[in-house]
């Protein structure tokens, strides 16, 4: 009866579930009990040790000798034999990239390939980012209502990602389908039936990545990161292997685009929900970078990441056996009051907001973080200038793809009165 109804946030290790319920609604809030009472616990449903406090999550990220990143892109839910047969049909062979490579191979490769991420290299892309962003805003600026995800925040990061990688622009809808399949394949819990469709899309994505790679190999003279990587393979074939290039072509498309698309949608949603803050950044665009950082802390697009203990270890005073899998929840760490004062308040002036763990930490920390920051800054600069009067369409329901790690709303409807667009009176 009603009095016995369980409080949705009164969770325990035994019934903690990441694919439905509170974690899908608000991952940080869903682990409050854990941060307070049991910051490192084993979840029998998942087969993972969950780590929820800031210091512990950071300590795991920091220690690659004990906590290997090799399982970072493993499937959360093992495939059925039928789904595996579909993947085999496509010769699916996603293997080590950077993010799931152990030392010393990882650092050697990262050093060889990080050139494209240096600030002076990223600066070359800024004009392209601004141009593509403006083109997309031009299309809807007079419309009065738009789904920002559908009409801008999904596709613009994809175009930028392809440009950054040096991949010719492709069928965007197909790549969107592939990326979502990759996310479900890696971090979701598809049913047996769904697994077949997901495997088909992932298999096709793998094949497509191989074809693009072969095309690019014929003339790898462009400025893209993949062109650069192909050229480096000629000098250092043992460091930049064939398997790496094929795997990174696929993983790179996802890493460079879906992450930023979701982070941008989360950030616009948050700042529009906090109208006074939105108005502050419209009035003073110099506040945008720290506001973005605070949104990455408050509601990041990667909410959890994985490591495997390759030796017996201790995390937060808890013994972790050798071989154990860990799910380190950045969303929870980022709301830990032991590190962030009033963590549940969105504070765009917060001085330690860049301590957030949304980009990971240590030797694997996101290589693309400054590209993502630049994109997001330009999206905010353009939209605060051209549509400062936009607001969230009231009473919309936000849906999220059920999975452990990738988070952003499927749609984000906003509206405004086009007759009040600043560029009409002050072009
Ligand atoms: C690694 C998040 C955008 C490329 C990572 C990791 C996270 C992450 C959590 C793993 C960190 C670790 O293990 O310590 C994000 C988020 C993004 C974003 C939240 C957007 C807001 C990008 C972009 C690129 C990119 C735009 C561009 C190509 C990479 C690469 C790695 C990585 C190459 C592997 C680095 C290594 O292992 O050495 N990212 N990322 N990311 N990310 Fe990102």
């Amino acid at each position: 009866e009603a009095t016995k109804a369980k409080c949705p946030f009164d969770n325990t290790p035994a019934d903690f579930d990441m694919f439905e319920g509170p974690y899908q609604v608000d991952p940080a809030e869903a682990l409050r009990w854990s941060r307070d009472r049991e910051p490192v616990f084993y979840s029998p449903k998942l087969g993972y040790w969950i780590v929820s406090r800031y210091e512990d999550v950071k300590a795991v990220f920091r220690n690659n000798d004990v906590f290997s990143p090799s399982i970072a892109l493993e499937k959360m839910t093992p495939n059925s034999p039928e789904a595996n047969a579909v993947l085999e049909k496509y010769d699916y062979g996603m293997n080590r990239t950077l993010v799931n490579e152990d030392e010393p191979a990882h650092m050697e490769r990262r050093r060889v390939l990080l050139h494209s991420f240096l600030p002076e290299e990223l600066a070359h892309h800024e004009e392209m980012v601004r141009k593509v962003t403006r083109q997309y805003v031009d299309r809807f600026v007079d419309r009065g209502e738009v789904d920002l995800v559908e009409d801008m925040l999904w596709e613009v990061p994809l175009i930028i990602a392809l440009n950054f990688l040096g991949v010719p622009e492709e069928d965007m809808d197909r790549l969107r389908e592939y990326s979502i399949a990759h996310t479900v394949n890696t971090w979701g819990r598809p049913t047996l039936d769904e697994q077949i469709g997901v495997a088909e899309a992932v298999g096709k994505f793998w094949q497509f990545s191989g074809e693009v790679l072969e095309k690019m190999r014929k003339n790898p003279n462009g400025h893209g990161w993949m062109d650069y990587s192909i050229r480096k393979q000629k000098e250092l074939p043992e460091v930049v292997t064939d398997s790496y290039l094929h795997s990174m072509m696929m993983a790179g498309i996802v890493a460079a685009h879906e992450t930023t698309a979701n982070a941008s949608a989360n950030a616009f949603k948050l700042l529009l929900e906090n109208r006074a803050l939105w108005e502050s950044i419209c009035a003073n665009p110099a506040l945008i970078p720290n506001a973005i950082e605070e949104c990455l802390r408050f509601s990041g697009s990667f909410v959890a990441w994985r490591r495997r203990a390759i030796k017996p270890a201790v995390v937060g005073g808890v013994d972790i056996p050798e071989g154990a899998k860990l799910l380190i929840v950045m969303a929870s760490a980022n709301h830990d009051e032991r590190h962030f004062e009033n963590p549940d308040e969105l504070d765009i002036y917060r001085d330690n907001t860049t301590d957030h763990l949304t980009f990971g930490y240590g030797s694997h920390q996101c290589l693309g973080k400054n590209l993502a920051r630049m994109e997001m800054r330009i999206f905010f600069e353009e939209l605060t200038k051209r549509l400062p009067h936009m607001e969230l369409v009231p009473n919309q329901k936000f849906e999220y793809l059920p999975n452990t790690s990738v988070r952003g709303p499927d749609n984000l409807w906003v509206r405004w009165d086009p007759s009040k667009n600043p560029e009409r009176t002050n072009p």
Side-chain angles (χ1 to χ4, degrees):
E1 63 266 42
T3 49
K4 281 202 186 146
K6 213 165 141 321
C7 163
F9 290 117
D10 183 16
N11 228 316
T12 63
D15 56 20
F16 183 67
D17 192 331
M18 307 193 90
F19 297 100
E20 49 193 51
Y23 183 84
Q24 286 302 319
V25 178
D26 181 346
E29 189 57 34
L31 280 165
R32 182 186 293 280
W33 66 271
S34 162
R35 289 194 297 284
D36 288 347
R37 302 199 305 267
E38 210 174 335
V40 179
F41 70 92
Y42 183 72
S43 160
K45 272 192 187 166
L46 272 175
Y48 277 78
W49 291 79
I50 314 292
V51 182
S52 64
R53 275 191 192 166
Y54 184 89
E55 280 311 323
D56 296 336
V57 171
K58 194 166 169 177
V60 172
F61 268 126
R62 195 189 278 137
N63 193 346
N64 286 322
D65 295 337
V66 176
F67 304 108
S68 157
S70 59
I71 60 166
L73 300 180
E74 235 176 46
K75 293 153 105 36
M76 251 354 263
T77 308
N79 253 346
S80 64
E82 291 79 7
N84 277 332
V86 171
L87 289 175
E88 270 166 41
K89 187 177 82 184
Y90 291 98
D91 275 334
Y92 181 70
M94 170 66 114
N95 204 330
R96 298 303 171 91
T97 57
L98 281 171
V99 86
N100 55 357
E101 181 66 280
D102 283 311
E103 304 305 346
H106 162 258
M107 251 328 185
E108 206 177 353
R109 196 177 280 158
R110 181 165 162 130
R111 262 189 224 110
V112 168
L113 298 179
L114 61 69
H115 175 82
S116 306
F117 295 92
L118 297 174
E120 54 281 19
E121 290 300 309
L122 291 182
H124 294 311
H125 296 291
E126 183 151 349
E127 204 183 306
M128 173 270 296
V129 174
R130 177 108 30 209
K131 195 174 116 207
V132 179
T133 307
R134 289 195 65 89
Q135 270 168 4
Y136 272 71
V137 179
D138 285 343
R139 290 184 195 167
F140 60 68
V141 70
D142 288 319
R143 217 188 284 166
E145 185 161 321
V146 76
D147 175 0
L148 276 183
V149 172
E150 191 64 35
D151 283 273
M152 173 176 170
L153 297 179
W154 187 271
E155 225 162 274
V156 177
L158 178 51
I159 294 173
I160 294 165
L162 296 178
N163 267 282
F164 173 77
L165 296 170
V167 173
E169 278 180 34
E170 283 290 337
D171 180 344
M172 300 293 167
D173 290 337
R174 189 162 61 136
L175 283 180
R176 182 174 187 173
E177 183 206 328
Y178 288 174
S179 292
I180 293 174
H182 170 77
T183 297
V184 175
N185 185 52
T186 312
W187 293 293
R189 188 165 63 188
T191 62
L192 289 179
D193 276 352
E194 286 161 352
Q195 282 182 18
I196 302 292
V198 167
E200 281 288 343
V202 169
K204 287 186 187 142
F205 194 4
W206 176 252
Q207 221 167 38
F208 163 84
S209 307
E211 287 159 13
V212 172
L213 180 60
E214 286 321 305
K215 251 191 259 171
M216 289 183 70
R217 275 187 195 283
K218 297 201 176 101
N219 184 22
N221 297 320
H223 292 295
W225 187 38
M226 290 310 293
D227 297 276
Y228 184 83
S229 306
I230 292 168
R231 294 199 293 275
K232 278 285 163 191
Q233 185 182 41
K234 297 199 174 118
E235 280 169 45
L236 297 161
E238 297 82 39
V239 179
V240 186
T241 59
D242 280 337
S243 163
Y244 165 78
L245 283 180
H246 193 164
S247 298
M248 193 43 133
M249 182 62 88
M250 179 166 154
I253 291 173
V254 181
H257 121 251
E258 212 180 354
T259 51
T260 315
N262 282 318
S264 304
N266 289 334
F268 276 102
K269 175 173 179 288
L270 272 178
L271 286 165
L272 289 167
E273 279 169 351
N274 291 272
R275 189 79 206 168
L277 299 181
W278 171 260
E279 281 168 10
S280 303
I281 64 167
C282 289
N284 182 6
L287 297 173
I288 289 173
N290 209 57
I292 289 171
E293 221 56 44
E294 174 69 350
C295 291
L296 285 166
R297 178 191 74 81
F298 199 96
S299 182
S301 48
F302 268 130
V303 294
W305 206 248
R306 286 178 284 169
R307 293 287 192 261
R308 184 196 281 281
I310 49 178
K311 299 173 189 159
V314 179
V315 179
V318 175
D319 287 325
I320 305 280
E322 179 179 341
K325 296 181 188 184
L326 281 75
L327 192 80
I328 46 181
V329 187
M330 297 95 93
S332 172
N334 289 344
H335 281 260
D336 188 346
E337 72 219 22
R338 293 152 201 86
H339 191 86
F340 297 103
E341 212 174 300
N342 297 326
D344 302 325
E345 184 192 332
L346 189 73
D347 173 5
I348 63 173
Y349 305 96
R350 190 183 291 279
D351 57 14
N352 68 347
T353 190
T354 49
D355 289 355
H356 70 72
L357 298 174
T358 300
F359 291 123
Y361 186 79
S363 61
H364 284 272
Q365 198 189 41
C366 180
L367 261 182
K369 64 183 181 179
N370 290 329
L371 176 60
R373 285 170 169 150
M374 182 244 282
E375 281 181 50
M376 292 176 74
R377 170 173 58 76
I378 290 174
F379 299 164
F380 273 95
E381 284 171 359
E382 291 297 325
L383 284 171
T384 52
K385 187 169 71 188
R386 300 183 70 186
L387 294 173
H389 51 318
M390 77 177 175
E391 58 175 28
L392 288 176
V393 169
N395 304 322
Q396 59 184 308
K397 200 166 167 277
F398 297 105
E399 306 268 358
Y400 296 83
L401 187 71
N403 77 95
T404 57
S405 299
V406 176
R407 188 172 165 84
D410 292 340
N411 308 90
L412 186 66
W413 283 96
V414 294
R415 67 177 188 193
W416 65 95
D417 177 355
S419 73
K420 300 213 169 83
N421 287 3
E423 59 207 36
R424 292 208 179 173
T425 46
N426 185 17

